[in-house]
Amino acid sequence: MSEPRERESAPPVESGQDLQELLDILDLEKIEVNIFRGRSPAEGPQRIFGGQVAGQALVAAGRTVTEGRFVHSLHAYFIRPGDPSVPVIYQVDRVRDGRSFTTRRVTAIQHGKAIFTLSASFHRSEPGLSHQVPMPQVPPPEELPTMRERLVQALGRVPRSADWHPFERRPVGPLSYEVQRDRSLIRTENPVWLKVNGKVPDDPLLQVCLMTYASDMTLLDTVLLAHGRTFSGISMASLDHAMWFHRPFRTDEWLLYAQETPVAFGARGLARGLVYTRSGELVCSVVQEGLIRIVDDE
């Protein structure tokens, strides 16, 4: 039986960031011991994308950790909007270097103020108990249209904000634009296949930093999906973010980001995600709370 063929992507109406540019942005400049400097794309959103500052902060933390210890968790707060026109300074606090675990705290600074904080823990590999919940049964990515194709069908174009990142995404369920038109499609689950468009170096820290970047792309969209809303009339921003990395993985191979939203209340929404490889291994867990404020009348 022949392998399924990849569907060709619809060309974007507006170009976005390519993979090499993202890799360059994640390659921070070391300016002093425990101090790094990061930049933003030359063209992009009016404020720094949350996944970018989280990924850069994790790079800064990882570059102060002894080889052989791999990040297993991070907890972060988005404090102020980032200004993409100026560099971000990342200050690393070496909280602890233990026999098995290493702890780092990173503060991202712009204009003399903290815009983001991250705590990360690194662990040396060791054997232990093993179990996981199974991967949801979904069609493989080759059988699904691309995000670009879905957007062209729904809107007649690809908005730049939706096509900016160098990740190919293939949603399994409906898009928010489709749910807005047909409320029978409303759901609280949002599984999406994703991978970077290109080959990534064999660097475990880079792989988790890319997944940290990608994890902020579609998670809060799940909350809108549960209410039949699109971004129109909504003010939305990430507030806090937590991730746990369970097994090694590659972001240049298809990963299923199985997202869901258990609750929204008081202008805040919570979303969770489990990330699986194609073979069904659970490699990462994500939880995020975000501001989701209705501004229709403003």
Side-chain angles (χ1 to χ4, degrees), residues 7-23:
R7 298 176 59 122
E8 293 186 358
S9 300
V13 173
E14 301 179 69
S15 62
Q17 184 183 44
D18 62 28
L19 175 58
Q20 187 55 54
E21 183 179 26
L22 176 55
L23 295 179

Side-chain angles (χ1 to χ4, degrees), residues 127-197:
L129 302 176
S130 178
H131 78 275
Q132 67 165 70
V133 296
M135 182 174 75
Q137 296 295 314
V138 299
E142 293 84 4
E143 296 182 5
L144 298 169
T146 66
M147 175 72 84
R148 293 177 181 179
E149 291 171 332
R150 296 279 294 275
L151 288 170
V152 168
Q153 183 176 11
L155 303 175
R157 62 187 180 89
V158 181
R160 187 181 188 190
S161 60
D163 195 46
W164 174 254
H165 314 284
F167 280 80
E168 182 174 355
R169 291 170 287 164
R170 300 197 178 193
V172 175
L175 304 180
S176 59
Y177 301 100
E178 297 165 339
V179 173
Q180 186 183 43
R181 297 173 181 175
D182 182 359
R183 295 184 65 84
S184 69
L185 299 175
I186 283 178
R187 60 195 61 200
T188 57
E189 297 83 25
N190 182 27
V192 177
W193 288 102
L194 58 81
K195 70 179 181 70
V196 292
N197 285 315

Side-chain angles (χ1 to χ4, degrees), residues 155 175-181 221 224-225 227-236 292 296:
L155 303 175
L175 304 180
S176 59
Y177 301 100
E178 297 165 339
V179 173
Q180 186 183 43
R181 297 173 181 175
D221 298 5
L224 297 182
L225 198 63
H227 294 267
R229 299 289 305 237
T230 67
F231 297 101
S232 178
I234 296 288
S235 175
M236 192 161 69
I292 303 179
D296 287 338

Side-chain angles (χ1 to χ4, degrees), residues 130-132 208 245-249 280-284:
S130 178
H131 78 275
Q132 67 165 70
V208 297
F245 302 97
H246 313 303
R247 296 179 175 88
F249 58 88
E281 287 190 323
L282 177 56
V283 297
C284 178

Side-chain angles (χ1 to χ4, degrees), residues 221-286:
D221 298 5
T222 310
V223 181
L224 297 182
L225 198 63
H227 294 267
R229 299 289 305 237
T230 67
F231 297 101
S232 178
I234 296 288
S235 175
M236 192 161 69
S238 304
L239 294 175
D240 62 343
H241 196 83
M243 300 183 71
W244 295 265
F245 302 97
H246 313 303
R247 296 179 175 88
F249 58 88
R250 297 195 61 88
T251 51
D252 50 11
E253 298 175 356
W254 284 112
L255 298 167
L256 179 68
Y257 195 9
Q259 303 157 102
E260 64 169 353
T261 176
V263 64
F265 185 77
R268 300 188 313 276
L270 187 74
R272 304 181 295 211
L274 299 176
V275 182
Y276 294 87
T277 64
R278 289 196 65 156
S279 61
E281 287 190 323
L282 177 56
V283 297
C284 178
S285 301
V286 189

